[in-house]
Amino acid sequence: MSVFDYTRRKSHSVNIGGIPLGSDFQVRLQSMTSTSTMDTSASVEQCKRIADAGASYVRLTAQGVREASNMGIIRQQLRDAGYSIPLVADIHFNPKAAFEAAQQVEKVRINPGNFVDPGRTFKQLSYTDEEYASEITKISNTLIPFLDLCKQHGTAIRIGVNHGSLSDRIMSRYGDTPAGMVESAMEFLRVCVAQNFYDVVISIKASNTVIMVETVRRMVKAMENEGMDFPLHLGVTEAGDGEDGRIKSAVGIGTLLSEGIGDTIRVSLSEDPEFEIPVARTLVNYIAQRSSAPSIQGEFYTQYDYCAPQRRKSVAINNIGGDNPPIVAIDNDECNTSTETGLRADIFNASNYINRGDFIEINAAQRPTPALKEQADKVIVLYSCHKNHIGEMQAWLHQAMQLNICNPVILRIDYGDAAAEDVAIMAAADFGTLLMNGFRDGIWLRASAISPEEITRFAFGILQAARLRITRTEYISCPSCGRTLFDLQTTLKEVKAATAHLKGLKIGVMGCIVNGPGEMADADYGYVGAAAGKVSLYKGKTCVEKNIPAEEAIEHLINLIKSSDDWVDPV
């Protein structure tokens, strides 16, 4: 077994209402309701649809004790209707709700950012070492009684860290960093281990795929260093909807699944929750096929940083490689039909270059040798026919780095006659893995059953999701849940219609203030539900207008963008 073979990370199993995850169990799929938890009938019906779509678990929001209590009624009505799907309570800010939920459902998700610490205020606090240690003691004092109650009722928990809701205490010592996110989880895990409570799943999420992948990798390493093997839940928060949401989720989740990390996943889309399950299933099944692939021999390049890989060193040839942004290669017959505005210089007709001899095609099964340095003026097109093609391509690239071969490398993957939605998911997982791991000179996506326009759009969408090129407006939008204060799907479409021409801007569209200001912290502008029928607008992390009537909010958003000189009129 080599580092390039696909194998699942070893974790212990956690039983959640008779459906265990972790260990050798299949990767479980889950979603979250978008109904009010106090609307019992609507919540029951949506839980049924999520279960019928194939989810193993369904999560509901529990803002307070009464919502947590009502989850017991929802659970009983589901059982009466013949549905045994375990329910998960999502807790924010209110530990009392967690204690109630532990008596009603099979699993409770708590957020270390606000379970003990007060809600985030984005203020810089200062602690002496003694004061900081005292704050850690508070975690034990609050968490231990909760763990005891969970033991009594056989309730599992999820310790769920979100990039946007780290506590001010963690921020004061670690900043808004992967290290801070990991430590936020580890503080709670150490208490669990000390109390011999192991029915715990970890999630550590961000809307930025680069941060999400790095942080999960560091989380795995931190647990290994302390002898822990808790199972992991994966997700990219606020991924959006449609094609962009699917691509962004597949880049982040797919990269980690490719490494064998992940025991349960949620693809968070700003759509009806049952639509998330087929996307998750496609992603999980596609990666799992690699388990039967022949072994791939090889080792990581000796200077490779697994947690945060740097870009592979290459020389620049024809604006490919070196410090140039990744290019998109296309086939000859696509040259006249691929029209990504303003990007023509970075769309290469690769077939022509191959025919002229400027590009050379190499099968990754043929490992590089020092003789390749004699063709240092060529761009390499790397492909693989191996069942674990991503593993074989990475093995080739690591050996090339070890030999100091610095040709630019375009990564080519062919998806045959697969359908468009499947191609978007598979290609995002594949190219996402390679791009996240530092192989960033160019990508070449082939798929015979979809149009050249779709191929080009998918390719640039993958590069944007991997934070390597910004070629369109980026929307950071949450999936609907019971906390959402407006019709998120309709609102997102309206915001997109008004702003989709603003290439390079990042706009957050968030249903409520629970995660909103934090999860969209790196957005340029934010549109956040403040109360029923009311919206607050943000510029960066700063709220600049509060409680605007929802019907006027988009006009106010446009005026805010104009006043900041970020507006251009659509062509």
Side-chain angles (χ1 to χ4, degrees):
M1 189 70 67
S2 84
V3 294
F4 301 110
D5 292 334
Y6 172 78
T7 181
R8 288 274 302 280
R9 165 185 169 264
K10 294 298 182 185
S11 63
H12 70 258
S13 63
V14 172
N15 183 44
I16 302 168
I19 301 180
L21 62 77
S23 186
D24 295 323
F25 295 103
Q26 66 188 53
V27 176
R28 304 295 190 185
L29 314 180
Q30 58 181 281
S31 185
M32 183 174 183
T33 60
S34 58
T35 54
S36 166
T37 308
M38 293 309 298
D39 188 337
T40 303
S41 60
S43 296
V44 168
E45 291 307 309
Q46 196 168 74
C47 287
K48 289 178 181 178
R49 292 195 296 275
I50 294 170
D52 290 342
S56 296
Y57 317 111
V58 61
R59 184 160 46 113
L60 299 91
T61 186
Q63 301 99 308
V65 172
R66 68 180 194 134
E67 287 87 358
S69 178
N70 200 56
M71 287 183 67
I73 298 173
I74 293 169
R75 180 181 181 276
Q76 188 56 54
Q77 289 194 13
L78 284 168
R79 300 298 176 266
D80 292 343
Y83 285 81
S84 59
I85 188 167
L87 301 188
V88 183
D90 191 73
I91 308 298
H92 278 276
F93 301 118
N94 192 342
K96 291 180 180 178
F99 279 79
E100 175 65 23
Q103 303 172 71
Q104 304 293 343
V105 296
E106 289 82 0
K107 182 181 171 188
V108 179
R109 182 260 179 171
I110 59 174
N111 184 342
N114 52 44
F115 188 73
V116 177
D117 290 298
R120 183 172 172 182
T121 61
F122 300 100
K123 292 180 180 178
Q124 181 64 40
L125 304 178
S126 178
Y127 294 91
T128 66
D129 289 345
E130 292 77 13
E131 290 170 336
Y132 200 89
S134 176
E135 293 297 314
I136 298 298
T137 300
K138 289 182 183 178
I139 294 175
S140 294
N141 292 342
T142 303
L143 188 57
I144 289 173
F146 176 63
L147 298 181
D148 289 341
L149 185 65
C150 289
K151 288 178 185 178
Q152 179 184 341
H153 290 272
T155 308
I157 70 170
R158 192 221 292 185
I159 295 174
V161 178
N162 277 8
H163 185 217
S165 56
L166 294 177
S167 68
D168 291 329
R169 177 181 59 79
I170 284 287
M171 291 282 289
S172 71
R173 180 151 294 197
Y174 295 93
D176 198 2
T177 63
M181 295 172 72
V182 169
E183 184 60 21
S184 185
M186 292 300 293
E187 288 176 349
F188 276 59
L189 281 182
R190 292 180 189 118
V191 177
C192 293
V193 169
Q195 296 300 308
N196 292 311
F197 187 89
Y198 292 93
D199 287 332
V200 181
V201 181
I202 305 300
S203 68
I204 194 154
K205 297 183 179 183
S207 61
N208 181 320
T209 55
V210 176
I211 291 174
M212 175 259 194
V213 169
E214 178 182 345
T215 306
V216 173
R217 287 170 170 167
R218 293 190 183 281
M219 186 74 221
V220 169
K221 188 174 181 180
M223 286 197 288
E224 289 175 351
N225 289 343
E226 298 194 27
M228 301 178 187
D229 62 351
F230 291 95
L232 282 157
H233 167 79
L234 303 182
V236 177
T237 60
E238 336 307 341
D241 66 346
E243 179 184 299
D244 288 344
R246 285 157 173 77
I247 287 175
K248 189 173 182 180
S249 291
V251 166
I253 298 171
T255 296
L256 294 164
L257 288 177
S258 295
E259 298 167 10
I261 296 172
D263 302 287
T264 174
I265 72 168
R266 181 195 176 191
V267 174
S268 299
L269 301 175
S270 301
E271 303 175 17
D272 291 342
E274 59 265 31
F275 295 156
E276 297 176 350
I277 304 303
V279 181
R281 184 184 298 110
T282 297
L283 182 56
V284 166
N285 289 348
Y286 177 62
I287 301 296
Q289 294 173 2
R290 299 172 192 174
S291 61
S292 61
S295 184
I296 302 165
Q297 297 307 305
E299 297 179 352
F300 284 149
Y301 171 52
T302 51
Q303 298 180 41
Y304 183 71
D305 180 351
Y306 166 75
C307 287
Q310 299 301 303
R311 181 173 183 171
R312 169 186 168 266
K313 183 177 71 174
S314 64
V315 298
I317 301 174
N318 290 324
N319 296 327
I320 305 173
D323 294 326
N324 292 299
I327 63 96
V328 169
I330 58 175
D331 281 300
N332 185 49
D333 59 358
E334 297 169 4
C335 186
N336 295 322
T337 53
S338 296
T339 55
E340 224 17 67
T341 304
L343 296 169
R344 294 298 307 162
D346 295 313
I347 302 175
F348 278 73
N349 177 357
S351 298
N352 264 1
Y353 283 95
I354 290 171
N355 292 337
R356 291 199 326 236
D358 297 322
F359 289 5
I360 55 174
E361 298 174 285
I362 296 180
N363 187 328
Q366 302 164 356
R367 293 303 165 80
T369 66
L372 191 55
K373 293 182 179 181
E374 298 172 10
Q375 301 185 73
D377 60 338
K378 307 294 184 184
V379 174
I380 293 169
V381 175
L382 186 68
Y383 68 96
S384 170
C385 300
H386 196 278
K387 190 169 185 179
N388 181 4
H389 53 289
I390 299 304
E392 186 173 68
M393 292 169 83
Q394 291 190 95
W396 190 98
L397 289 157
H398 277 266
Q399 187 166 341
M401 288 192 289
Q402 200 66 44
L403 295 172
N404 198 30
I405 292 169
C406 296
N407 305 61
V409 175
I410 295 173
L411 308 159
R412 187 175 74 196
I413 305 174
D414 193 325
Y415 296 95
D417 61 357
E421 180 162 320
D422 290 342
V423 170
I425 296 166
M426 295 186 296
D430 287 343
F431 287 116
T433 300
L434 295 164
L435 293 165
M436 290 285 189
N437 288 345
F439 308 116
R440 301 169 184 166
D441 295 330
I443 62 175
W444 184 353
L445 192 166
R446 280 179 160 173
S448 61
I450 63 177
S451 70
E453 290 85 359
E454 286 177 302
I455 287 174
T456 309
R457 193 176 69 242
F458 288 175
F460 280 104
I462 291 165
L463 292 175
Q464 176 145 330
R467 298 294 178 121
L468 295 173
R469 298 196 66 131
I470 304 298
T471 56
R472 58 192 75 166
T473 314
E474 180 169 348
Y475 297 94
I476 302 168
S477 65
C478 57
S480 293
C481 75
R483 298 184 297 268
T484 303
L485 295 167
F486 51 70
D487 183 337
L488 187 66
Q489 296 180 42
T490 300
T491 301
L492 179 57
K493 288 177 182 177
E494 291 172 348
V495 172
K496 282 187 171 184
T499 61
H501 65 289
L502 299 174
K503 172 183 170 181
L505 279 190
K506 290 180 283 187
I507 299 175
V509 181
M510 312 298 291
C512 73
I513 61 170
V514 171
N515 281 334
E519 289 298 343
M520 64 174 200
D522 67 342
D524 300 297
Y525 298 94
Y527 182 110
V528 180
K534 302 290 183 181
V535 171
S536 292
L537 298 181
Y538 286 71
K539 189 174 190 307
K541 297 178 182 178
T542 303
C543 183
V544 294
E545 291 190 66
K546 293 182 178 180
N547 298 317
I548 305 162
E551 61 271 16
E552 302 173 13
I554 290 179
E555 181 183 352
H556 281 246
L557 174 64
I558 291 170
N559 290 335
L560 173 61
I561 296 171
K562 287 180 176 179
S563 69
S564 303
D565 294 326
D566 285 331
W567 180 267
V568 295
D569 290 328
V571 178

